[in-house]
Amino acid sequence: MKITVGIPDASRGEAAALYWEAFGTKLGFTMGPKYRALVYINRVMRSDHGICAHDAQGRLIGVAGFKTAQGALVGGSFTDIRKVYGWVGAAIRVRLMGTLERDTENERFLMDGLFVAHEARGKGVGTALLNEISAEAKRRGYRQVRLDVVDTNPRARALYLHEGFREVETHKMGILRHIFGFSTASTLVRDV
């Protein structure tokens, strides 16, 4: 397995597909249908805000995204959303996606999504990406990494806890649980 900082242009389509595979259930109502979501993700993906894992054949098998004051792995502006979904679709989506936003802060490096190809799960890819996120945080002068995990993803939560993250707070989704398909999101941190 090879870990690199940054997403090569040749891997953008694969990264977008893996992102949708991991988060499509949660984001499907706001970013769907799938074909439009993939267009949008490809359009806004910041290659400098991702860390990639490739297998021995060079195939992308996992990505860990992060968010800084300069942007996020999958961010975008109202204009980007409007160009894919139209004016009305953009207005609705911006409002809904805004409820999921987590602000960056000066004290902790924000990991903004970790996703691994189905066939590569359970083989150490997630752990390797978490370790590289911690290394990137350290290179940038941070002392902790922060992430959020939803209650419908117990496998990811177990990995994070096993790798030394600890829960610091939980956010309830309230009525929005019916839109996003999860009831709570927990914030976890780990020293680097």
Side-chain angles (χ1 to χ4, degrees):
M1 175 180 5
K2 180 179 179 185
I3 304 289
T4 59
V5 177
I7 299 173
D9 286 341
S11 297
R12 285 178 70 86
E14 288 175 280
L18 282 178
Y19 182 91
W20 186 254
E21 181 183 316
F23 302 116
T25 301
K26 177 171 83 169
L27 300 175
F29 185 81
T30 54
M31 291 182 69
K34 179 181 178 178
Y35 75 92
R36 283 196 190 210
L38 290 174
V39 168
Y40 177 74
I41 294 164
N42 263 310
R43 177 183 186 84
V44 301
M45 185 175 286
R46 296 267 317 243
S47 60
D48 62 339
H49 279 63
I51 297 172
C52 292
H54 290 86
D55 66 14
Q57 291 74 40
R59 193 175 64 86
L60 183 70
I61 56 174
V63 177
F66 55 89
K67 186 174 181 180
T68 68
Q70 290 73 44
L73 177 66
V74 178
S77 66
F78 181 83
T79 301
D80 293 315
I81 297 171
R82 181 186 51 78
K83 286 184 178 181
V84 176
Y85 298 101
W87 282 99
V88 174
I92 294 167
R93 284 167 174 85
V94 164
R95 182 102 172 157
L96 288 171
M97 286 192 281
T99 64
L100 298 177
E101 284 294 310
R102 297 291 177 246
D103 290 328
T104 55
E105 57 182 54
N106 293 327
E107 293 183 26
R108 299 174 181 142
F109 189 59
L110 178 56
M111 186 180 89
D112 194 25
L114 185 140
F115 41 104
V116 175
H118 185 72
E119 65 277 5
R121 292 178 188 160
K123 297 181 179 177
V125 177
T127 298
L129 288 168
L130 284 174
N131 290 336
E132 190 57 37
I133 280 285
S134 291
E136 183 67 19
K138 198 171 213 175
R139 285 190 290 271
R140 292 171 180 253
Y142 289 92
R143 300 174 87 164
Q144 289 185 322
V145 172
R146 175 176 64 120
L147 61 84
D148 291 311
V149 63
V150 299
D151 59 359
T152 56
N153 197 349
R155 186 173 177 164
R157 181 183 178 83
L159 170 66
Y160 302 145
L161 294 174
H162 182 265
E163 293 301 319
F165 283 85
R166 66 187 184 284
E167 186 174 335
V168 294
E169 65 182 307
T170 298
H171 311 278
K172 292 184 179 181
M173 292 302 293
I175 193 111
L176 293 175
R177 71 185 179 276
H178 300 295
I179 293 172
F180 295 114
F182 63 92
S183 297
T184 62
S186 298
T187 299
L188 283 67
V189 298
R190 176 172 85 172
D191 296 335
V192 296

